[in-house]
Amino acid sequence: MDIFLLIIGGLFLIIGLIGSVLPIPGPPLTFGGVIALHYSKYANFSEDLLIGLGIATALVTVLDYYVPIWGTKKFGGTKAGIRGSMAGLIIGLFFGPFGIFIGAFLGALIGEYMFGDKHNALKAAIGSFVGFAAGMAIKITLCCVMIFYAVKEVWGFWA
């Protein structure tokens, strides 16, 4: 059972980090990996660390939905830009990691230009991109912190 938890934990850590870039729940998956490792014999995280990582995961997950919207609004975007950004993000998935960035930007630009404020379309698209990139950076950072603790614990078991 411990080997199974080690494998599942490792997979969740990796998939969670990848999910920080793709639109799948990266931090919750990574936290799931930490929990799986905790219940194996290979890692023993403190209760305080698990609670802290759990709270951070919940906070980042909520912020992930708000930060791109905040970025778009902060730069003068409307709901059309936000919807366009989300549509562009989904379409961009088919074109690899850079497609996600370009898709979100172009989606916001097209959404604003066609259905929103034509004069602020470029500014809103930049805001959408900034918000999307900031959210992604936060998710990647949290996942890397959790991976650091997981590797440290598992490495300590073998050392």
Side-chain angles (χ1 to χ4, degrees), residues 50-130:
L50 290 174
I51 290 170
L53 291 176
I55 291 170
T57 298
L59 183 64
V60 166
T61 301
V62 170
L63 283 176
D64 186 39
Y65 292 102
Y66 180 73
V67 170
I69 295 168
W70 173 83
T72 303
K73 285 183 179 181
K74 185 78 173 163
F75 281 68
T78 64
K79 288 183 182 181
I82 295 167
R83 289 182 184 131
S85 178
M86 292 301 156
L89 170 76
I90 292 167
I91 293 168
L93 282 174
F94 298 104
F95 300 99
F98 293 112
I100 296 170
F101 290 109
I102 294 168
F105 176 81
L106 288 177
L109 181 67
I110 292 167
E112 282 294 335
Y113 191 77
M114 290 179 67
F115 305 106
D117 183 2
K118 288 179 176 45
H119 296 95
N120 287 325
L122 181 60
K123 186 177 172 185
I126 291 170
S128 173
F129 179 78
V130 167

